[in-house]
Structure formats: C-alpha cells, structure tokens
Amino acid sequence: MRNYRVYPVATPFFLRCLSLLKIVACISVFLAAQSAVAGPPFQTDDPEPVEYRHFEAYLFSTVDHAANSTSTQLPAVEFNWGALNNLQIHTVIPATYLSLNGAYGVGDAELGVKYRFLQEGNRRPQIGVFPLLEFPTGNRSLGLGNGQLWARLPVWAQKSFGSWMTYGGLGYQINHAPGMKDSLFAGWLLQRSFNKRLTLGAETYYQGPQAADARQTTFVDGGGYYNFRPSLSLLFMAGHTVAGERHTVAYIGLYYTWKRG
C-alpha cells in the first residue's frame, strides 16, 4: 500500500508521488479489506504482513501537486502475497503522468518484503521491517523514473487499543542517482474504527531532502477507508505540507482481498 511511501518528484526527480497523493479525480483501487487496518492509503506504513495464503490487489491513483509541477499515477497496481507466516511479498507498478512536460508512461517498479519479527502483546507492540527496492523501469529523461536502482529501509511498529490503533516508525533511503542523495524518513499515525464499515485516521510524515537542491518536507494528512464488504473497501487520503517544500497530496482507490485454498 504501501504503501506506499515518499518518492522523488519530477524536475528532475519523480517518484515521491507513490505515497504523496492529491485529488479525488482519478480512479479506483483494489485492496484487501481484511488487512485494511493499517498502511494504505497513508504514507506511514505498518509492520503487519498479509496473512499466510492470502492475497491483496490494489488498483489506485495518486497525485502530488508541487509549486511548479504535478505528478499523477493513473493507474497504479499493487499486489501483496502472504508467502509465509509473518512474511509478505510486495510489488507496485505505476503508470505516471507529469504535467510539466506532458510525459506519460510506466514509472519505476517497486519490490519489497515485509517481515514481522515481534508479535503484538497486551503491552508490547508488533514490530517489523519492510525493505523496498525501486527498479529504474521509468524513463528518467522524461522525469518518469530515478534512473538507477534505489532502496528504502524502514522499521515499523504498531499497537491497538480497542477501536483505536497507532503505528509508525522511521527508515533510511539510499539513492545514488545523479542529483539525488540519501535521506531519512519517519511517520506516525493514529486511527479509529467507528464501526465495521468506517475507519478514519490522521498522520504526520517527515521526508528528508532527497536531492542536492531540495529541502525536507513535513506532511499532515487525514483519510481512511470504507468497507463495502469484508473483502472490498474504498480508500482515501488528502494532505498538505506544514514545513519545507510545498506539496498537496491525495490518494483514492479500491481494495480487494482473497484467500488461496
């Protein structure tokens, strides 16, 4: 859902829009509602993997509007597989449109593994890691990709209190593409389930400078999901920066899950 996460924006760096989203004007997402308790549509992720032999499929849209450009994912597809107990295989393939030059095409593909190494207890949070690799499948000359393989290495924690849940963590981003730099990121979220259908939450998310000429960004956003049935949900999020570079972001989609065998 992950995810989804902050990526370099076009001019000349692009992929911040996978987790930075704006405008409810794009299409739907297929997500897994039984696991839709954390992670997407927010930028902050969670340590909870997809259950063993369960699958999630997302078809989603995002927008990141900066001062002089807008990056839109239309559409993007995410797939998660519960390969083992406490272990999830994750992939995202986005199609991206950049308003600055009118470019449209495949963006950088994402592949990751989420592993939960500590289960939640009465007083103990669950904790996991979610390393992600971003493959240079997008055209860098058009601003659709980073141009080189790069990685994100986060640690996430989560704790539930009845109808309330909080999760967050921090990580390090490694990016040696021309003009880019390594950086820190961190986020924390609080959400509440009002009933079996509606859950709402709010988060703050920090992203360190991702390029030599860039500044840090701190976001505040809100969103949630609405369950049509146990396996199908609508997800939504919108927010804005409160410090650093100005961005307005949003996410919308549908969420579907199923089990093998």
Side-chain angles (χ1 to χ4, degrees):
M1 98 174 56
R2 61 207 180 231
N3 56 344
Y4 261 138
R5 335 338 182 225
V6 179
Y7 301 86
V9 185
T11 63
F13 43 95
F14 148 68
L15 277 173
R16 176 175 288 147
C17 57
L18 195 62
S19 301
L20 309 182
L21 331 156
K22 188 205 163 181
I23 206 165
V24 209
C26 308
I27 59 183
S28 41
V29 179
F30 285 98
L31 300 156
Q34 290 177 348
S35 303
V37 293
F42 299 102
Q43 301 179 72
T44 303
D45 217 312
D46 66 278
E48 186 171 3
V50 179
E51 292 183 50
Y52 178 47
R53 293 185 175 179
H54 284 71
F55 299 87
E56 297 179 343
Y58 299 63
L59 173 65
F60 63 95
S61 275
T62 75
V63 176
D64 173 12
H65 177 68
N68 59 353
S69 66
T70 300
S71 299
T72 304
Q73 290 188 325
L74 179 64
V77 177
E78 177 176 343
F79 181 77
N80 296 318
W81 168 38
L84 296 170
N85 289 326
N86 298 310
L87 189 142
Q88 164 191 316
I89 306 299
H90 160 90
T91 185
V92 174
I93 301 176
T96 303
Y97 173 75
L98 304 179
S99 65
L100 190 68
N101 56 3
Y104 180 75
V106 176
D108 284 359
E110 178 177 276
L111 180 65
V113 176
K114 181 184 289 190
Y115 176 66
R116 178 174 56 192
F117 58 84
L118 185 64
Q119 296 282 351
E120 185 171 345
N122 290 334
R123 298 184 179 180
R124 181 183 65 236
Q126 58 177 292
I127 303 176
V129 294
F130 194 5
L132 297 164
L133 291 176
E134 310 294 332
F135 292 87
T137 53
N139 189 326
R140 177 179 171 84
S141 65
L142 296 178
L144 298 176
N146 187 63
Q148 291 186 18
L149 181 74
W150 60 291
R152 292 167 57 81
L153 307 173
V155 178
W156 303 112
Q158 176 179 304
K159 190 73 179 73
S160 299
F161 306 90
S163 60
W164 292 89
M165 175 186 293
T166 184
Y167 58 91
L170 73 165
Y172 193 68
Q173 181 172 297
I174 303 171
N175 192 343
H176 296 161
M180 306 304 294
K181 60 186 294 186
D182 298 349
S183 60
L184 293 169
F185 59 93
W188 205 270
L189 179 141
L190 179 66
Q191 69 181 36
R192 182 188 176 191
S193 296
F194 291 89
N195 50 52
K196 291 183 178 181
R197 291 188 179 272
L198 180 64
T199 296
L200 297 176
E203 73 173 327
T204 180
Y205 190 90
Y206 168 83
Q207 172 66 60
Q210 300 180 92
D213 58 350
R215 294 184 295 160
Q216 62 83 23
T217 50
T218 302
F219 292 85
V220 172
D221 50 65
Y225 55 91
Y226 181 84
N227 297 327
F228 297 109
R229 58 176 188 262
S231 61
L232 181 65
S233 303
L234 173 70
L235 287 85
F236 50 91
M237 182 274 282
H240 197 276
T241 50
V242 294
E245 296 180 354
R246 294 177 59 85
H247 288 267
T248 302
V249 297
Y251 176 112
I252 189 168
L254 283 172
Y255 168 72
Y256 181 70
T257 186
W258 70 100
K259 181 181 179 181
R260 185 188 69 184

